[in-house]
Amino acid sequence: MLNPQSFSMFLLNIITFTAITEAYAIPSTVLEKALQGPPKHRGHNEVWMPNPAHPVPYKLPLSIDDRVNWFEQAHNGSKNGFYKRSSCPGINMLANRGYIERSGRNITHESLAQAMRDVYNFGDDNIMVALDTTFAAYSWPQYIDLDFFNEDVVQNNVNCPAAPTRNDRNIGENVNINITLLDSLLSFSKDGETLSLEDLAEHHHLRHNQSALENPNFQFGSHHAICSLAQYTNLVGVLGRHGKYGLSTLYVEDVRHFYLNEDLPSAYMRRELPYYSTEANILIDRMAHHIGFLIDRPYPPNDQDPGIDIEPIVAKYERPCQAVY
């Protein structure tokens, strides 16, 4: 018989599974492999409880003990190939600060997932999308190296086309940052200080069109769209802090520091409420709406067809205004 704590975790697993299948609509074959993974030792997000004195979740400064989590940047292949890094600056930051193995080698699912909770308060369902899909692609090894996130086996599931600051894998080196793409991203700020969700959508649309032109194997169904847009919305959900767009205000200098150094900006504020897939999908759909297309959930049968592209070349905001009579 289940005790109350075990029953609560059982319900949480059902809710998480439902959120993943309905919000992200991961292909059933991928989910089946992911759910065969090790069920033990998984942590979970802490529960935020409102009270009359504090009714709305906020963001608070993250306390970092520099004696333990000092910053030391490494790149993929540095120290004669010993250090491993991914194409995700958020994951690399966890290694650069020692929240996971600094070498980027021999990383367990549990240690990486817990670091994402501790530092970013990333929601368990979002963690499942990123980590379970990757570990499942390699048949659930006990350990992975961070460069596992870069290989062909995870392309278009975790590592996606039209990334903000990385080349498509079919175009060139896709692990390290492309400074030209970073400068392009920051230039989309309308005020030179902040980046709105619409600014990010417009930069994504440029990246979409660049990839469509340059990548001979480009395809962009609903799954690819979610994967690509999430790389922007994760910035908003994690790095956003109080400002002109509320708690999701993204600051240009924060983004620059995060990408160049793969470290938290000095003004970083950690979320009190976990960043769950529900919030992520709302932001993703807002970006798609600004551009002028819809993401289908669940994915249609032709979502992985060669050459599919659900995003228009000319965005809604680029079209001439039509008079309404």
Side-chain angles (χ1 to χ4, degrees), residues 244-288:
K244 64 192 293 185
Y245 306 114
L247 291 179
S248 297
T249 302
L250 202 56
Y251 288 85
V252 168
E253 290 308 313
D254 287 357
V255 176
R256 188 194 311 276
H257 180 88
F258 183 68
Y259 272 118
L260 285 180
N261 299 292
E262 298 188 325
D263 188 26
L264 295 174
S266 60
Y268 174 70
M269 307 282 279
R270 182 181 181 273
R271 304 169 60 97
E272 288 188 294
L273 187 69
Y275 181 58
Y276 290 121
S277 63
T278 301
E279 180 179 350
N281 276 280
I282 289 172
L283 297 176
I284 287 169
D285 285 340
R286 280 180 56 192
M287 290 181 68

Side-chain angles (χ1 to χ4, degrees), residues 157-205:
N157 280 319
V158 176
N159 200 329
C160 301
T165 65
R166 262 67 175 178
N167 297 321
D168 286 9
R169 186 170 175 84
N170 290 326
I171 295 176
E173 200 275 331
N174 73 320
V175 179
N176 297 305
I177 189 170
N178 181 322
I179 298 298
T180 300
L181 295 181
L182 174 62
D183 290 341
S184 171
L185 168 62
L186 301 180
S187 73
F188 272 68
S189 168
K190 300 292 193 301
D191 60 9
E193 181 181 359
T194 62
L195 286 158
S196 68
L197 198 63
E198 288 70 30
D199 295 337
L200 299 180
E202 291 170 18
H203 181 260
H204 158 76
H205 186 60

Side-chain angles (χ1 to χ4, degrees), residues 210-226:
Q210 289 171 340
S211 292
L213 181 65
E214 298 169 358
N215 186 343
N217 299 318
F218 183 77
Q219 59 183 107
F220 205 75
S222 290
H223 176 67
H224 301 96
I226 288 177

Side-chain angles (χ1 to χ4, degrees), residues 30 48 58 73 82 103-104 147 155-156 162 171 174 192 246 253 271 301 318:
V30 175
W48 182 82
Y58 200 68
Q73 187 174 19
F82 182 70
S103 66
D147 62 349
Q155 296 305 307
N156 301 319
I171 295 176
N174 73 320
E253 290 308 313
R271 304 169 60 97
E318 296 173 322

Side-chain angles (χ1 to χ4, degrees), residues 289-300:
H289 176 75
H290 182 68
I291 297 167
F293 70 99
L294 294 174
I295 294 172
D296 288 324
R297 302 179 184 88
Y299 303 145

